Amino acid sequence: MDGENAHPPRFLGTPMTAIRQAIRNAAYASGALAAYHRRRNAATLTVVMFHRVLPADRLVGADPEYTVSADLFAACLRFFRQHYNVVDLAEVLAARSSRRRLKERALLITFDDGWADNACVALPLLRQEGLPATVFVATDAVADPSPCWWQETLLRPLREGHVSYEALWRLLPGPSAPIPAGPDRELRLLLRFHDCDAAARARALAPFVDTAAQRHMMTLDMVRRLPSDGIAVGAHGASHMPLSFLPSPFADLARARTALAGLWNDGAGRPQTLACPHGRWSAEVAQAARAVGFQLIFTSEPWLNATVDGALSGDVLGRVDIPAHQIVAADGSLSPDRLATWLFTRPQRPPGITAASFPGRLAAAQQEAS
């Protein structure tokens, strides 16, 4: 199995799917889809979101929803260069304060969590294409000397079917809380393990630790070196818990910003941007982020951010995830027409969005917080 087929594409194989694919192919090959994008999305900022980038021989075991192969990532970068003006985080911040106008069809490349492969695998590919990017770092994870991130250690056996959700829920000592139901069960499981004593958590997860694994997350030194390599650093919370579920999102965000600011003696590295873990945010979370000092709040709402004369009119921005199975051809290589459709046709929403005007993850988060 080669690298780009290690996470096989998902195709329904129906006649209607084949017809849609043929139409998409023709629209892209003729240049019609690119012309549509140039006209429709001229006054937008597209923010794309990655998590992990791994070589072919390390894809097995990684979460396929959040991992792309190195070859696929490199092909995405070439696509971005062809169809967008790739900008860095400083340009986006300047557009927010109206100090600088963004170019037409601006695009920002971002990564979440702080995985070590962002520096070891993705960074050389970004250098090769001469493109900037931003990494949003979960500070507790990169500060932990353990080679395996406990959140990945918890979730991997669950997604691979080696253990049931109920068994994991009951692993921790003490009174057993009711097992949750609904779409947020995985987040509730993370919260349960986050809230327990660290020693008890380590004992419970010990059977699932991959002792042969390379370090999951960057070290603090790796994070410290990112700006000198043209990679901006933002915060992704301290605990990597969904902020709208926490009793005090302010405390978590303040801890994250302080931890990152301490990496640079000159103060230049004090992060001004936040990406909300798990895409969960609310009006309270946005207010806490502003109070901590963040100037931009990146969500996982899959919209394109409208600009006015190259400026951003609000501080809450959408991002579009790039899942491998949505953008590859049958042979596992990048399908440019699929990626074009995935990005070009997204709804455009003004950055200063509210729950009333876009009832996506924000509304769900507010319901959970209530």
Side-chain angles (χ1 to χ4, degrees):
M1 180 177 292
D2 65 36
E4 292 184 337
N5 279 325
H7 293 152
R10 303 172 188 174
F11 296 111
L12 296 178
T14 64
M16 187 58 67
T17 300
I19 292 171
R20 284 197 298 266
Q21 181 65 51
I23 294 172
R24 210 165 36 221
N25 287 342
Y28 186 81
S30 68
L33 197 53
Y36 166 80
H37 164 61
R38 287 193 299 271
R39 181 177 63 255
R40 176 187 187 260
N41 300 325
T44 61
L45 166 68
T46 300
V47 185
V48 292
M49 173 175 53
F50 294 94
H51 288 75
R52 306 199 68 182
V53 180
L54 290 171
D57 59 356
R58 290 179 55 200
L59 285 172
V60 174
D63 189 339
E65 288 293 324
Y66 297 107
T67 309
V68 297
S69 72
D71 288 344
L72 185 58
F73 181 69
C76 287
L77 296 184
R78 293 190 291 271
F79 179 94
F80 298 153
R81 285 179 61 89
Q82 180 180 356
H83 294 289
Y84 292 92
N85 290 300
V86 179
V87 297
D88 61 27
L89 186 61
E91 292 175 89
V92 178
L93 284 163
R96 169 63 184 128
S97 61
S98 299
R99 290 182 287 110
R100 183 172 179 176
R101 293 183 178 183
L102 287 174
K103 300 172 183 176
E104 290 189 349
R105 303 183 314 281
L107 180 137
L108 179 70
I109 300 168
T110 70
F111 298 86
D112 279 4
D113 302 339
W115 294 92
D117 54 74
N118 295 175
C120 301
V121 182
L123 177 55
L125 296 172
L126 287 161
R127 280 194 196 127
Q128 183 176 315
E129 293 296 328
L131 296 177
T134 299
V135 174
F136 293 105
V137 175
T139 55
D140 287 355
V142 297
D144 188 346
S146 302
C148 295
W149 189 20
W150 71 262
Q151 295 180 33
E152 173 66 4
T153 299
L154 172 64
L155 295 180
R156 179 177 176 178
L158 179 63
R159 68 172 179 262
E160 293 183 348
H162 299 314
V163 63
S164 70
Y165 181 95
E166 291 74 15
L168 287 173
W169 185 263
R170 296 190 178 101
L171 274 178
L172 296 174
S176 179
I179 296 175
D184 293 323
R185 296 179 82 213
E186 188 174 289
L187 297 181
R188 296 296 178 188
L189 183 66
L190 284 170
L191 280 165
R192 178 168 169 79
F193 274 76
H194 168 264
D195 292 343
C196 77
D197 176 74
R201 180 173 63 229
R203 287 193 296 270
L205 294 179
F208 306 107
V209 172
D210 183 357
T211 56
Q214 299 183 34
R215 180 174 172 85
H216 288 162
M217 311 307 288
M218 294 187 204
T219 64
L220 290 174
D221 283 340
M222 292 169 74
V223 175
R224 187 180 291 110
R225 291 194 298 267
L226 288 176
S228 63
D229 287 319
I231 306 299
V233 177
H236 198 43
S239 64
H240 193 249
M241 292 297 105
L243 294 168
S244 57
F245 289 14
L246 297 178
S248 175
F250 180 92
D252 189 275
L253 293 175
R255 190 158 59 86
R257 192 163 191 254
T258 299
L260 287 176
L263 294 179
W264 295 276
N265 294 329
D266 59 3
R270 183 174 291 275
Q272 301 179 67
T273 56
L274 164 73
C276 299
H278 308 283
R280 296 309 179 96
W281 64 291
S282 65
E284 179 189 2
V285 168
Q287 183 178 4
R290 296 179 188 116
V292 168
F294 293 113
Q295 296 183 29
L296 288 176
I297 303 161
F298 291 85
T299 71
S300 300
E301 306 289 0
W303 66 60
L304 309 183
N305 306 286
T307 61
V308 179
D309 294 328
L312 293 168
S313 59
D315 61 354
V316 178
L317 302 180
R319 292 190 297 168
V320 182
D321 191 19
I322 307 293
H325 65 84
Q326 293 287 358
I327 63 169
V328 294
D331 64 357
S333 63
L334 177 67
S335 173
D337 57 286
R338 287 173 64 87
L339 181 54
T341 305
W342 184 254
L343 289 175
F344 296 173
T345 61
R346 291 286 168 178
Q348 296 181 16
R349 293 290 186 269
I353 205 72
T354 65
S357 55
F358 195 88
R361 289 181 178 83
L362 170 58
Q366 289 177 323
Q367 183 178 3
E368 287 290 342
S370 63

